Amino acid sequence: MGTAAQLLVRCLENEGVEYIFGIPGEENLHVIDALLDSPIQFVTVRHEQAAAFMADVYGRLTGRPGVCLSTLGPGATNLLTGFADANMDHAPIVAIAGQGATTRMHKESHQVLDLVKLFDPVSKYSVAILEKEIIPEVVRKAFKVAKAEKPGGSFISFPENIAAMEVGEEVLPLKVQGPMAPYPPQVKVEQAARVISAARFPIIMAGNGVVRSHACEALIRFVEKLGIPVATTFMAKGAVPFSHPLCLGAIGLQAKDYVACGFDRADVVICVGFDMVEYHPFLWHPRGEKKIIHIDQTYAEVDSKYMLEAGVIGDIAISLDRIAELSCRRENVSTATLKEYIMAEQECFAADSSYPLKPQRILCDTRRVMGDDDILLADVGAHKMWIARLYSCEKPNTCLISNGFAAMGIGVPGAIAAKLVYPGRRVMVITGDGGFMMNSQEIETALRLKLPIVIMIWNDQGYGLIKWHQERRFGRSGFVDFTNPDFVRYAESFGAKGFRVERAGDLLPVLEQAFACNTVAVVDVPVDYSENMKLTGKLGNLICPV
Ligand SMILES: Cc1ncc(C[n+]2csc(CCOP(=O)(O)OP(=O)(O)O)c2C)c(N)n1
Ligand SMILES: [Mg+2]
């Protein structure tokens, strides 16, 4: 005999859960108490939103659902943003919230909200445990659904009176069975191969589905066998190494960019594991004249600019290998010009000594201190756009960008989760001063867990990306400026290290020092965002090399 809460925890252990991120509350007391006897490590955080972001990044890096826990009402509403981010970025996540007793859920009652309804639009599965016997089924289904392509969120509401009930020994966790991707139908493989063989200038767009399905090596084989150039979305950076001669770089800026020039020329676009939420087809396919081949585990979203010539649904690696077998190789596709532009842009600012620092210079130095396996997280803002364009990756999941829901505040909690998953790698977050202040409280969590991470703040005293949009659209800006605390002293007040970069040439040694101090280090970097509008001007006048 044990309580329903203990059964829930046994079911979570059965799913292989290592960590639960969250905050204890009155209505989840039984679950918290049951966790005291469990090998699962509970990570106490300082804001539920951060718990959800940690679960989000944990899910993205491991492919296993990250788990977060809150109390009812305000605890659960705080979880919502990070949870929605995971759901829309297709990271597997399971959130569990305490709930008022079933005897008071039907009426106005302290902190009670209909949580199943609240999470319904941002989840794949949202359910309340209203009978103790269903716990094994609910937990198994929540994990199965969250993990299945395309991954996303499962939410479980757990009323306090059910959690406290006694459950018989005969109710046991269910056997964990992973969903298997089906084999692609041969007729579709042949159809895709015919279109590719007949193409004049095919191009591949690789999305995060390639990374999720562990199909990066198959993609590289496909690219090399057929000689077709490949661009990745922001979230799929590193799916093909940037240094690969057929890799064009990352695409996704709303404006035209060098990589997009390849798309202009293409008559066939092969989308592999592409999540439409990242880069809408009307941005890269406005006239709808190209032939699209969709290779994914799930059916294509219906969109007037994404009408398929062939759709190959099944295990992505198997689909790629089979299509490659039947398709003709392309010779002499020159991709050099496009990549050269990006590389030239990176190099030309490598020694730029202006101050405040230019985004290009900062990213150059950042790339130098980060090894191929180290992990850079971007928060959301103008800095993210620069990272997405210019930070080149050799390996997948080494630059984490939220590009679906794009929620500010993911960076600091995300870095904590990344360091938990990969303690042996350097983990750095680049965040705006706006996004940093949304979850900077988690510095305390990182220190408590003894997780050394480097937090680099691009200090422009404002909501830079919005200012950029305002200038671009209306030629003026407003309501986007603010002042900051002294970030060095702020860091020190937590017991972390604080650094301020006062000359461009100091950035590299300061970053090395920040990693060497082996604790949480905050690096305040004044940034020159006049480069934003210069980039807009440059890309606005962009004429694609032929
Ligand atoms: C939670 C949330 N609120 C608002 C936005 C809209 N938004 C996107 S970027 C941005 C400004 C970001 O400012 P900052 O963090 O300082 O980064 P910067 O653009 O200056 O690099 C805002 C308000 C968002 N994406 N997420
Ligand atoms: Mg800013």
Side-chain angles (χ1 to χ4, degrees):
M1 287 282 271
T3 64
Q6 286 168 332
L7 173 61
L8 178 98
V9 169
R10 271 206 305 281
C11 290
L12 296 174
E13 290 168 5
N14 182 55
E15 296 291 336
V17 173
E18 297 174 287
Y19 301 104
I20 298 181
F21 306 98
I23 299 187
E26 216 177 304
E27 278 70 10
N28 61 25
L29 281 179
H30 278 89
V31 177
I32 297 288
D33 190 69
L35 281 168
L36 287 172
D37 300 320
S38 168
I40 297 174
Q41 191 182 333
F42 189 80
V43 176
T44 304
V45 298
R46 308 304 299 273
H47 192 306
E48 290 88 349
Q49 184 184 104
F53 280 135
M54 288 176 194
D56 177 1
V57 169
Y58 178 93
R60 198 163 152 190
L61 284 174
T62 63
R64 299 193 302 273
V67 183
C68 52
L69 178 78
S70 77
T71 189
L72 77 174
T77 52
N78 271 354
L79 280 184
L80 204 61
T81 301
F83 182 89
D85 190 88
N87 192 57
M88 220 176 215
D89 279 358
H90 299 306
I93 187 170
V94 172
I96 302 162
Q99 178 57 295
T102 47
T103 48
R104 65 183 181 101
M105 270 164 57
H106 60 291
K107 58 186 176 187
E108 181 173 298
S109 182
H110 185 62
Q111 293 188 318
V112 165
L113 284 180
D114 185 339
L115 297 178
V116 172
K117 255 195 201 156
L118 187 78
F119 278 77
D120 185 60
V122 295
S123 64
K124 292 174 77 181
Y125 178 54
S126 182
V127 66
I129 296 176
L130 298 177
E131 299 286 344
K132 59 193 182 185
E133 287 80 12
I134 66 172
I135 289 172
E137 284 180 1
V138 165
V139 173
R140 184 73 280 275
K141 182 166 177 185
F143 278 75
K144 183 173 178 172
V145 171
K147 202 171 170 220
E149 272 292 321
K150 298 186 178 251
S154 290
F155 172 75
I156 300 170
S157 159
F158 197 21
E160 55 183 338
N161 59 331
I162 307 274
M165 284 176 182
E166 291 292 321
V167 192
E169 296 286 346
E170 70 287 359
V171 190
L172 293 168
L174 300 179
K175 190 168 167 232
V176 175
Q177 292 167 317
M180 277 268 291
Y183 279 57
Q186 189 61 16
V187 44
K188 295 290 187 180
V189 168
E190 287 167 10
Q191 201 184 348
R194 273 196 302 277
V195 180
I196 293 170
S197 299
R200 195 174 32 77
F201 187 85
I203 196 166
I204 299 163
M205 171 141 58
N208 198 29
V210 176
V211 181
R212 290 195 300 266
S213 314
H214 307 287
C216 298
E217 282 170 18
L219 177 64
I220 296 167
R221 282 197 297 275
F222 182 87
V223 163
E224 290 176 349
K225 179 146 194 288
L226 300 184
I228 302 176
V230 54
T232 74
T233 62
F234 288 176
M235 291 178 69
K237 262 176 176 294
V240 175
F242 183 74
S243 59
H244 192 286
L246 284 164
C247 178
L248 296 167
I251 187 164
L253 217 58
Q254 308 260 320
K256 195 173 192 67
D257 204 342
Y258 297 115
V259 180
C261 288
F263 280 76
D264 278 2
R265 251 195 285 170
D267 59 335
V268 171
V269 182
I270 306 163
C271 295
V272 191
F274 171 60
D275 300 332
M276 197 173 283
V277 68
E278 270 208 84
Y279 189 35
H280 199 278
F282 70 70
L283 291 165
W284 52 269
H285 194 204
R287 293 196 302 282
E289 81 291 3
K290 299 179 195 305
K291 292 183 174 155
I292 292 175
I293 296 178
H294 174 85
I295 302 171
D296 207 350
Q297 278 196 46
T298 55
Y299 293 98
E301 176 65 285
V302 173
D303 187 283
S304 63
K305 305 293 186 212
Y306 198 78
M307 302 307 287
L308 306 186
E309 195 69 15
V312 186
I313 307 301
D315 181 280
I316 293 180
I318 295 172
S319 298
L320 289 170
D321 282 341
R322 291 198 175 165
I323 296 170
E325 259 172 48
L326 301 179
S327 307
C328 303
R329 186 185 160 78
R330 205 134 303 271
E331 296 300 338
N332 307 326
V333 177
S334 163
T335 54
T337 29
L338 302 174
K339 190 147 84 185
E340 271 164 19
Y341 273 85
I342 295 273
M343 287 169 67
E345 194 175 326
Q346 282 168 345
E347 268 152 36
C348 124
F349 291 93
D352 186 286
S353 60
S354 58
Y355 189 85
L357 284 88
K358 292 199 167 54
Q360 300 92 322
R361 165 79 204 243
I362 304 175
L363 290 174
C364 223
D365 286 2
T366 303
R367 190 59 277 188
R368 283 191 195 147
V369 297
M370 301 293 277
D372 285 353
D373 287 311
D374 294 338
I375 300 175
L376 177 72
L377 291 97
D379 205 80
V380 173
H383 59 283
K384 173 182 124 176
M385 297 305 167
W386 286 103
I387 294 167
R389 277 194 84 231
L390 294 182
Y391 186 80
S392 50
C393 295
E394 292 296 299
K395 303 212 174 151
N397 272 348
T398 55
C399 177
L400 295 195
I401 294 176
S402 165
N403 203 34
F405 198 59
M408 288 167 72
I410 186 174
V412 172
I416 293 171
K419 192 69 187 174
L420 267 182
V421 176
Y422 291 114
R425 302 191 192 181
R426 283 187 170 184
V427 173
M428 185 195 300
V429 47
I430 291 184
T431 171
D433 40 10
F436 172 70
M437 291 300 286
M438 287 190 179
N439 274 321
S440 60
Q441 76 284 346
E442 299 307 323
I443 290 175
E444 188 279 320
T445 307
L447 286 167
R448 184 166 20 92
L449 296 176
K450 299 196 170 36
L451 294 173
I453 54 171
V454 172
I455 302 169
M456 189 206 289
I457 304 170
W458 288 22
N459 190 336
D460 71 327
Q461 309 215 351
Y463 294 118
L465 182 69
I466 307 306
K467 194 174 199 163
W468 187 359
H469 286 314
Q470 288 175 335
E471 292 290 346
R472 199 170 49 79
R473 302 270 302 273
F474 307 110
R476 61 180 189 167
S477 64
F479 316 124
V480 284
D481 297 322
F482 49 69
T483 57
N484 284 318
D486 178 331
F487 287 129
V488 173
R489 284 167 55 210
Y490 185 71
E492 286 167 355
S493 74
F494 283 94
K497 294 276 184 229
F499 300 87
R500 181 169 299 111
V501 173
E502 281 163 348
R503 270 191 312 265
D506 289 351
L507 178 61
L508 194 72
V510 164
L511 288 177
E512 284 297 354
Q513 255 177 291
F515 277 115
C517 68
N518 210 25
T519 180
V520 177
V522 174
V523 183
D524 177 2
V525 183
V527 63
D528 176 8
Y529 270 159
S530 64
E531 285 300 313
N532 294 347
M533 282 306 285
K534 285 187 204 156
L535 180 67
T536 298
K538 197 157 88 183
L539 296 183
N541 298 326
L542 181 65
I543 297 168
C544 288
V546 273

